[in-house]
Amino acid sequence: MHDTGTVIQPAPAPEREEQRTEQAEEQNSRHARRFGLPIATCLVMGNIIGGGIFLLPASVAPFGTISLVAFGVLTAGAIALALVFGRLARRDPRTGGPYVYAREAFGDFAGFLAAWSYWATTWVSNAALAVAAVGYLDVLTPVNDHKWTACLAALVLQLLPALANLAGTRYVGAVQLIATVLKFLPLLLVAVGGLFFFDSDNLGPFRASGDSPVGAVSAASAILLFSYLGIESAAVSAGEVRDPRRNVGRATILGTLGAALVYLLGTLAVFGTVAHDKLVNSTAPFSDAVDAMFGGSWGGTAVALAALVSMVGALNGWTLLSAQTPYAAAKDGLFPSAFGKKRRGVPTAGVLVTVVLASLLTVYNYTAGSGGVFESLVLITTFTATVPYLLATAAQIYFLVSGQGERVDRGRLARDGVLAGVAFGFSMWLVAGSGYAAVYQGVLFLFVGVLVYAWMAARKKRTATATV
């Protein structure tokens, strides 16, 4: 990676000493292990690709093959965002990612908003992932016959990744690596195998919706926008990555490119093996593609197993991320101090609180009799997930134009400025794509966080005054 385009500022002496102490404790624990480039890349890829890939081809089929153009546009924006995270991590490789960058650029309040919105996104998303995973588990073994059986299955699917996290970063990395390999093998089988069974007659029209080219790309993009959430995974866990100034950026870019390759090839393979008229109404497009390529009816079982592995891997990664941002905020006095303690390399309080909140939301989903509130919460996270992106990219723009430009190569400054601008535009596109209701409700949720910030900031001020 090249220079960030900004001056790298070392952490203050007390923070460096604290980081060295924590790293020494982690090295002395046989359960803690810092992630190398392969596992950090798997963390990014695994968190970007959950279970949505298995329905994605059918979701964009109504727009025609022009949706592949939308994929390309979004991939360019996602890569720009990945490059910006790499630059920011090189500048400040501490755990917390967007929280760290926003706080350094704009102060405690902006940092807290990034931490608050990201934390809420993780535990609500975990509940949604677990509920969705039960649907795939039901294909393998009946669990949806009774709501309590399904609820118990969802709780177990959340608990197992949490136990892996509590066991230490060594086990988190192992689970993430295994899950990533197991889920990408069948996806790549369809993506590559589909090329041998590809029939252009199955593609259907280029613009199936009748919209203008720009309208069709925009409409398809609205569905695809959130396929790349998770880009920030390596940056958020920078403190657990070996040589983070070098590896966080590489893992972010490699993970994003790997996910994009699977998305594009997988969607193209399904487009070319399943007739367009059938694909538009398909509820299991990858199963239909497997059946079309190899015959039989075992595709549903194979895809359900792959999707289940994919979601468990995503739960494992998101559980780790759910604890990392509160950990960084707690170290700065903006979250309760319990969140700022590690055991075996993992912030245990963050993991425990996340699994409890996600479990309560899961139980609510199965007992309320209506998915209205649960679905609303999930939609809100599509907005709250993008708030840290906006703050992080704005922070990079601030670093570039805050009077430090004369100390770096102007060619690199211009390049980094363009990347930051594209990444900011991509983040704004994500916000717009979440819809009016999600933005409205998400802003209300952020305002609740303002009250929490007032309480934590007052405690921090009182503590500082008492020690003077």
Side-chain angles (χ1 to χ4, degrees):
M1 299 287 293
H2 294 293
D3 190 89
T4 61
T6 59
V7 179
I8 297 176
Q9 301 288 346
E15 292 183 6
R16 292 201 302 271
E17 181 62 33
E18 185 176 355
Q19 288 171 2
R20 284 196 294 267
T21 301
E22 287 182 354
Q23 290 173 10
E25 290 175 354
E26 291 177 20
Q27 288 171 355
N28 291 333
S29 172
R30 61 188 178 88
H31 302 288
R33 180 173 295 173
R34 294 167 76 80
F35 302 147
L37 179 60
I39 292 181
T41 301
C42 286
L43 183 65
V44 176
M45 293 177 70
N47 285 359
I48 291 177
I49 299 181
I53 178 64
F54 297 96
L55 289 175
L56 209 54
S59 300
V60 297
F63 303 103
T65 52
I66 197 173
S67 56
L68 297 175
V69 176
F71 253 131
V73 173
L74 289 174
T75 298
I79 291 172
L81 186 59
L83 287 168
V84 168
F85 275 123
R87 302 289 194 272
L88 288 167
R90 187 174 176 87
R91 185 180 194 279
D92 194 336
R94 287 178 291 165
T95 293
Y99 159 77
V100 172
Y101 317 141
R103 180 174 179 266
E104 183 181 353
F106 309 121
D108 283 353
F109 184 62
F112 175 83
L113 286 182
W116 173 259
S117 60
Y118 194 77
W119 177 62
T121 298
T122 55
W123 63 263
V124 175
S125 296
N126 273 14
L129 269 171
V131 171
V134 169
Y136 290 104
L137 179 62
D138 189 62
V139 177
L140 305 175
T141 180
V143 292
N144 273 335
D145 293 340
H146 193 279
K147 68 178 182 180
W148 288 116
T149 305
C151 181
L152 179 61
L155 293 176
V156 170
L157 287 170
Q158 291 179 62
L159 182 61
L160 292 178
L163 292 176
N165 274 264
L166 293 173
T169 51
R170 176 179 182 177
Y171 303 98
V172 175
V175 171
Q176 200 65 28
L177 181 61
I178 293 169
T180 302
V181 171
L182 288 179
K183 76 178 176 184
F184 277 99
L185 284 177
L187 287 173
L188 289 175
L189 174 65
V190 174
V192 177
L195 300 178
F196 296 95
F197 297 89
F198 193 91
D199 185 350
S200 59
D201 291 337
N202 290 325
L203 292 176
F206 181 65
R207 284 188 291 123
S209 63
D211 296 327
S212 67
V214 174
V217 169
S218 298
S221 297
I223 295 175
L224 298 171
L225 277 172
F226 300 98
S227 300
Y228 286 106
L229 293 182
I231 292 171
E232 73 292 340
S233 300
V236 171
S237 296
E240 278 60 60
V241 178
R242 285 198 298 269
D243 191 7
R245 294 189 192 278
R246 176 186 178 93
N247 285 333
V248 166
R250 290 185 173 188
T252 302
I253 295 165
L254 290 174
T256 303
L257 287 173
L261 182 65
V262 171
Y263 279 150
L264 289 168
L265 287 181
T267 302
L268 181 61
V270 174
F271 275 12
T273 53
V274 181
H276 182 262
D277 292 343
K278 180 179 180 180
L279 182 59
V280 169
N281 299 310
S282 175
T283 57
F286 271 82
S287 296
D288 293 337
V290 171
D291 291 341
M293 286 188 286
F294 305 111
S297 58
W298 55 276
T301 300
V303 170
L305 181 60
L308 187 61
V309 170
S310 178
M311 288 187 164
V312 170
L315 280 167
N316 180 65
W318 281 108
T319 299
L320 175 65
L321 297 189
S322 71
Q324 299 287 22
T325 300
Y327 164 81
K331 287 296 184 183
D332 297 322
L334 299 179
F335 258 60
S337 59
F339 286 86
K341 298 177 181 178
K342 282 186 176 181
R343 187 167 180 263
R344 297 176 174 178
V346 175
T348 52
V351 171
L352 290 171
V353 171
T354 292
V355 76
V356 168
L357 290 173
S359 297
L360 290 174
L361 184 55
T362 301
V363 172
Y364 173 82
N365 175 68
Y366 284 103
T367 57
S370 171
V373 175
F374 180 77
E375 291 170 359
S376 295
L377 284 171
V378 172
L379 287 174
I380 290 172
T381 64
T382 61
F383 166 73
T384 58
T386 62
V387 171
Y389 291 0
L390 277 173
L391 290 171
T393 52
Q396 174 70 340
I397 292 172
Y398 167 80
F399 295 141
L400 291 171
V401 300
S402 58
Q404 302 177 47
E406 70 279 359
R407 299 177 62 184
V408 299
D409 180 89
R410 291 194 177 278
R412 291 181 178 178
L413 179 63
R415 179 202 61 191
D416 286 353
V418 170
L419 282 174
V422 172
F424 186 84
F426 178 67
S427 301
M428 285 295 294
W429 198 5
L430 286 170
V431 170
S434 59
Y436 292 108
V439 172
Y440 169 73
Q441 294 168 335
V443 168
L444 293 180
F445 183 81
L446 289 182
F447 285 167
V448 173
V450 173
L451 181 62
V452 177
Y453 172 78
W455 177 58
M456 292 305 304
R459 285 190 59 186
K460 183 180 179 181
K461 180 70 173 179
R462 188 167 60 248
T463 301
T465 303
T467 56
V468 172

